[in-house]
Amino acid sequence: QVQLVESGGGSVQAGGSLRLSCAASGYTKKSYCMSWFRQAPGEEREGVASIDADDNTAYADSVKGRFTISKDDAENTLYLQMNSLKPEDSAMYYCAAAEIRLWSGDVCLEGRADFAYWGQGTQVTVSS
């Protein structure tokens, strides 16, 4: 059984930092992408950052230069380092996993891959 469990959310002031974690268990696909998505109340879900098994990465324009996605294969954990946070970064953040054949940053970032597994989300609130 595949499980994705996010942690690390919280409340920070603008300009602050947070690191989100997504602990994965039971996922055995060799070719995959994992993405961070976020959704604020009344807004559509947005892809934030994606990474594949070979550490190719893709970022939404809104977070480039501020957020860094990474993973620790030994620990089966996905991370999202978020720096220089802005109030508009406030949202529920979700990690998700999809099996892919070839890396495509756009496909993974925009949620067009088959993201069969999702975490429960972790809330990030940035105050001005």
Side-chain angles (χ1 to χ4, degrees), residues 3-79:
Q3 277 195 317
L4 302 177
V5 180
E6 301 99 333
S7 61
S11 296
V12 296
Q13 290 196 323
S17 298
L18 284 173
R19 188 176 80 156
L20 305 184
S21 299
C22 172
S25 60
Y27 194 73
T28 59
K29 302 301 182 184
K30 300 299 183 184
S31 181
Y32 61 86
C33 63
M34 295 194 73
S35 297
W36 287 98
F37 296 91
R38 66 186 180 188
Q39 188 166 22
E43 302 286 335
E44 290 195 357
R45 188 183 68 198
E46 174 189 21
V48 176
S50 293
I51 191 168
D52 77 346
D54 295 324
D55 290 332
N56 293 298
T57 58
Y59 295 92
D61 288 343
S62 59
V63 306
K64 278 181 184 175
R66 300 188 299 122
F67 290 12
T68 303
I69 189 170
S70 63
K71 59 183 175 63
D72 185 328
D73 293 330
E75 296 293 329
N76 294 318
T77 302
L78 178 73
Y79 299 102

Side-chain angles (χ1 to χ4, degrees), residues 74-125:
E75 296 293 329
N76 294 318
T77 302
L78 178 73
Y79 299 102
L80 185 67
Q81 178 66 44
M82 305 187 296
N83 299 327
S84 302
L85 282 161
K86 304 176 181 179
E88 51 263 44
D89 294 319
S90 297
M92 186 72 80
Y93 283 70
Y94 302 89
C95 65
E99 184 181 10
I100 58 173
R101 287 194 292 178
L102 290 174
W103 165 251
S104 168
D106 289 345
V107 169
C108 289
L109 194 60
E110 295 171 6
R112 290 187 279 123
D114 181 17
F115 285 94
Y117 304 104
W118 291 79
Q120 82 289 349
T122 186
Q123 179 68 40
V124 171
T125 303

